Amino acid sequence: MQKIQERTIELDGTPATGFRVIWREFKKDKIAMISLILLFVVIFGVLIWAPFIDQEKLMKISLLDEFAEPGTNGFILGADQGGSDVLGQLIIGARNSLVIAVIITLITGVSGIAIGIITGYYGGLIDNIFMRIIDFFMTLPTLMIIIVFVTLVPKYNVTSFILIMSLFLWVGTARLVRSKALSESRRDYVNASKTMGTSDFAIMFKGIMPNLSSILIVEMTLNFAGNVGIETGLSFLGFGLPPSTPSLGTLVSYASNPTVLSEKWWVWLPASILILVLMLGINYVGQALRRSADVKQRLG
Amino acid sequence: MWKTIVRRVLVMIPQLFVLSMLVFIMAKFMPGDPFTGLITPQTDPNRLEEMRQAAGFYDPWYIQYWHWVTNALHGDFGDSYSFKVSVASLIGERGMNTLWLSLLSVILVYLIAIPLGVLAGRYQNSFLDKSVVLYSFISYAIPTFVLSLIFLFIFGYQLEWFPTSGTVDVKYDPGTFDYFWNKFYHLLLPAITYALLGTTGVIQYLRSEIIDAKTQDYVKTARSKGIPMRKVYSRHIFRNSLLPIAAFLGFTITGLLGGSVFIETIFGYPGMGQLFIQAIMARDYSVITTLVMLFGFLTLLGSLLSDIIMSIVDPRIRID
């Protein structure tokens, strides 16, 4: 009996760490929990469903089904101008948008974190050079330049789209990580590591980076939401994913035709709502992660 | 203060130079040349070649760059072949439209954001505060084009409260009151959409500023002198928190410019954002390069403006 009591006291005494904090934060915040579950359902649902859809059959034009209303001819969400199933396009589009946003987030995340930590750790000349470059990128009209690049690339495909996006979107992460790494590398444990002869590389990526991990996770989550937004926005304008790879934005872009916008709402509204749900969900999860990363803001 | 401003302006010059280089290189990569649009089956190839030589098409790149920059500084940005007018007059006309839209949007942003931010900060953790935080979160997360489309669908097509495109109906004569009212009416829906999305920064800043101010010494002093809390808020806290908001102006304008591509395309509003998309579609390169350069310049100007206002408002910034 005595022993058991002691153990519980000991458990209560240790502060929750890592995933337990995050879990506790989500349990306290109902909306964040719902967002998380919803996101899991949407993402896994889309990823599992998409391979079963025959894309060639989906995009085949059948004029008989032109703008079929929801529920008729076996179209649950209706059909678009070419008589293609909206639901199928929605699933494929969501899959493409999500996968591409993840890839862009990873590329910009890795390069941004690496550049941020290196410049923050070394400081001096390297820091100065990179800060000028970052300052310059911050003042660019990014959206317009991405659009111009997209129209200039001769053999435009998904890879070039990802590269163009990544070229301009690493900057924010690098700036944030640099400022955190700058204050982190003045800490005692870094000095201690230096005196012990640890290599710079090990200090940066085995010492400083794990200490920034909570901020990095939050940043990557919010970037992911941002990238979904930018990609669908560009695809909506017609400068995002190439036509062979439909995106959620492509489906929304049918609404640039006023008749479709005003009368055939089933073509574009589901995709718009799905984008809204994804953006709100990912951002909400990101906010909850941010709170669990900051002791002062925690709810639980 | 003047020293800070001059230094800040000097920093802008190399940034502008690099931007112009980037735009110039982009223009060089664009297929064709300024005369491609003039080619018709009747065009004599020799005449075209003469025109190219006269325009310095075969000069080394640094001379071409120099010509481009000096012409641009004289207000000559070339001609738009798809609109058949000079780029300067085209952008002048469209720019006025965008200016009106931005102006109304900025006014609306502050009209919405200041009361909400102040009240949320004052009654922290109340129901109102939580609603405001939720609103500012949602407006941050929603992509511009999705909200614009949904608003256009609901208020433009379903309820028919607002016109769905254009700047003014043709039946009105310029100069009359009806004409201005009609123009304003066309601006309203895009500006409201803009404003609802643009408030996040101001609300969050104002709210946290007021929450911080509550525990400041000057508030305690005022309270201990017996000034009622209501007056402390309106006279002391509000003034102190409001000044830095002015500094947001530059960034707000910059943000509006970025969003204008979506808003103007969706609401069929003939401003610079829509012009950019039209120019891209028509491969009208002289318009594209000028617009990219102009937007880059305005972005720089926005951050310059913010820094200058900040240095006037907050003397601590001038030190470094």
Side-chain angles (χ1 to χ4, degrees):
Chain A
M1 194 64 205
Q2 185 82 34
K3 257 189 173 172
I4 292 167
Q5 244 177 0
E6 263 179 24
R7 271 179 70 186
T8 46
I9 288 167
E10 202 181 64
L11 274 178
D12 277 348
T14 50
T17 48
F19 284 102
R20 288 240 308 279
V21 178
I22 296 174
W23 181 243
R24 227 165 54 174
E25 192 63 35
F26 275 101
K27 269 207 302 205
K28 281 270 172 185
D29 190 345
K30 286 276 168 340
I31 307 179
M33 197 66 171
I34 295 169
S35 310
L36 190 69
I37 295 168
L38 206 67
L39 271 183
F40 264 102
V41 171
V42 170
I43 292 176
F44 281 100
V46 160
L47 286 182
I48 292 167
W49 194 347
F52 291 106
I53 296 172
D54 185 356
Q55 206 167 329
E56 290 207 356
K57 208 174 124 201
L58 180 72
M59 297 316 286
K60 214 163 72 185
I61 292 169
S62 83
L63 290 176
L64 223 59
D65 298 322
E66 191 190 45
F67 291 126
E69 286 189 27
T72 57
N73 293 6
F75 295 120
I76 298 171
L77 283 176
D80 68 1
Q81 192 152 19
S84 309
D85 183 19
V86 170
L87 183 66
Q89 292 188 59
L90 196 66
I91 301 295
I92 298 266
R95 196 260 322 256
N96 291 341
S97 290
L98 286 170
V99 169
I100 282 158
V102 166
I103 297 173
I104 295 171
T105 312
L106 286 178
I107 296 177
T108 53
V110 168
S111 47
I113 290 168
I115 292 173
I117 289 184
I118 292 171
T119 51
Y121 176 76
Y122 285 111
L125 186 67
I126 298 176
D127 185 40
N128 253 325
I129 293 171
F130 268 98
M131 274 318 277
R132 291 292 84 74
I133 296 174
I134 288 172
D135 277 348
F136 173 67
F137 268 97
M138 297 297 273
T139 56
L140 284 180
T142 317
L143 186 78
M144 298 178 103
I145 292 188
I146 290 179
I147 292 177
V148 174
F149 269 57
V150 164
T151 51
L152 283 186
V153 170
K155 272 199 218 111
Y156 180 64
N157 53 25
V158 179
T159 320
S160 37
F161 177 71
I162 291 173
L163 290 179
I164 293 171
M165 289 270 284
S166 307
L167 182 63
F168 291 96
L169 297 176
W170 59 272
V171 187
T173 313
R175 211 162 113 121
L176 178 90
V177 174
R178 178 238 172 211
S179 70
K180 299 287 173 192
L182 201 65
S183 63
E184 197 71 19
S185 47
R186 307 287 175 272
R187 294 281 186 88
D188 284 343
Y189 75 90
V190 174
N191 286 332
S193 277
K194 274 184 195 162
T195 46
M196 277 163 62
T198 320
S199 70
D200 285 346
F201 185 82
I203 296 177
M204 280 189 280
F205 294 101
K206 288 183 183 157
I208 295 175
M209 200 165 79
N211 277 316
L212 299 177
S213 57
S214 54
I215 299 162
L216 300 182
I217 292 170
V218 175
E219 174 75 4
M220 300 271 274
T221 317
L222 295 178
N223 277 351
F224 176 50
N227 291 340
V228 172
I230 299 175
E231 183 273 311
T232 49
L234 284 169
S235 298
F236 166 76
L237 289 173
F239 306 105
L241 298 181
S244 56
T245 322
S247 134
L248 283 178
T250 322
L251 210 49
V252 182
S253 72
Y254 294 140
S256 10
N257 178 348
T259 339
V260 177
L261 177 63
S262 55
E263 284 154 28
K264 318 282 189 225
W265 54 268
W266 60 86
V267 177
W268 62 272
L269 199 58
S272 307
I273 292 173
L274 189 58
I275 294 174
L276 270 188
V277 168
L278 282 174
M279 293 290 286
L280 287 174
I282 303 168
N283 269 304
Y284 219 95
V285 169
Q287 297 287 342
L289 287 175
R290 170 178 286 170
R291 282 200 304 272
S292 51
D294 183 356
V295 187
K296 276 180 282 180
Q297 293 183 20
R298 270 180 215 164
L299 297 172
Chain B
M1 189 180 75
W2 285 110
K3 247 168 98 181
T4 321
I5 294 174
V6 168
R7 191 185 304 128
R8 192 59 192 70
V9 173
L10 286 179
V11 169
M12 213 174 119
I13 293 171
Q15 283 178 324
L16 267 178
F17 173 70
V18 180
L19 178 71
S20 69
M21 281 303 266
L22 183 79
V23 173
F24 180 74
I25 293 167
M26 258 171 24
K28 284 276 107 185
F29 274 105
M30 290 171 184
D33 58 63
F35 306 112
T36 315
L38 301 173
I39 299 175
T40 56
Q42 285 83 36
T43 314
D44 177 12
N46 294 328
R47 173 87 190 90
L48 204 68
E49 206 58 22
E50 272 170 34
M51 276 163 73
R52 278 190 185 143
Q53 256 162 18
F57 187 70
Y58 299 107
D59 289 343
W61 66 269
Y62 49 87
I63 294 182
Q64 288 191 34
Y65 173 74
W66 180 247
H67 278 303
W68 179 66
V69 169
T70 44
N71 280 343
L73 288 177
H74 287 106
D76 176 12
F77 301 100
D79 293 319
S80 154
Y81 78 80
S82 64
F83 291 92
K84 312 282 180 220
V85 285
S86 78
V87 176
S89 67
L90 185 66
I91 287 179
E93 184 197 320
R94 300 298 194 97
M96 279 314 280
N97 287 338
T98 298
L99 184 72
W100 287 122
L101 181 59
S102 311
L103 209 63
L104 186 61
S105 309
V106 170
I107 294 171
L108 287 176
V109 164
Y110 284 94
L111 275 183
I112 299 170
I114 290 176
L116 288 185
V118 169
L119 289 175
R122 180 163 176 181
Y123 304 107
Q124 196 193 352
N125 290 331
S126 65
F127 176 72
L128 179 85
D129 177 39
K130 283 181 181 145
S131 320
V132 170
V133 170
L134 187 70
Y135 156 71
S136 79
F137 165 74
I138 291 175
S139 68
Y140 168 76
I142 292 183
T144 317
F145 73 104
V146 171
L147 190 75
S148 314
L149 273 178
I150 291 177
F151 271 22
L152 185 62
F153 176 61
I154 296 175
F155 299 112
Y157 284 105
Q158 295 298 314
L159 300 172
E160 295 182 354
W161 287 357
F162 294 100
T164 52
S165 74
T167 51
V168 67
D169 292 334
V170 273
K171 61 182 173 187
Y172 298 106
D173 298 322
T176 59
F177 175 74
D178 281 344
Y179 178 83
F180 281 114
W181 173 248
N182 193 258
K183 214 169 177 174
F184 179 72
Y185 193 45
H186 276 86
L187 277 176
L188 213 51
L189 188 59
I192 290 173
T193 318
Y194 239 158
L196 285 179
L197 292 172
T199 49
T200 322
V202 182
I203 288 183
Q204 279 178 353
Y205 195 81
L206 202 54
R207 178 177 171 271
S208 62
E209 192 81 359
I210 285 179
I211 290 171
D212 280 352
K214 279 181 190 170
T215 55
Q216 296 280 318
D217 285 342
Y218 74 89
V219 174
K220 285 183 196 151
T221 316
R223 275 301 283 153
S224 56
K225 282 198 300 186
I227 300 172
M229 209 54 204
R230 192 173 46 82
K231 262 197 169 160
V232 177
Y233 271 108
S234 59
R235 289 279 166 79
H236 299 134
I237 295 181
F238 184 58
R239 280 195 185 177
N240 272 308
S241 315
L242 201 59
L243 281 174
I245 286 298
F248 254 79
L249 198 67
F251 291 122
T252 311
I253 294 170
T254 312
L256 286 175
L257 285 172
S260 72
V261 173
F262 287 109
I263 297 259
E264 287 175 5
T265 312
I266 290 168
F267 289 101
Y269 188 81
M272 290 197 292
Q274 197 202 33
L275 177 67
F276 178 70
I277 297 295
Q278 285 170 341
I280 288 267
M281 296 285 191
R283 299 287 189 270
D284 197 339
Y285 294 119
S286 46
V287 179
I288 297 172
T289 44
T290 315
L291 278 177
V292 173
M293 195 63 214
L294 186 67
F295 272 60
F297 175 68
L298 288 176
T299 316
L300 282 174
L301 205 66
S303 75
L304 172 75
L305 207 66
S306 280
D307 283 359
I308 290 178
I309 298 174
M310 204 80 113
S311 79
I312 295 171
V313 167
D314 192 344
R316 284 171 297 183
I317 290 171
R318 280 177 234 157
I319 294 166
D320 47 48

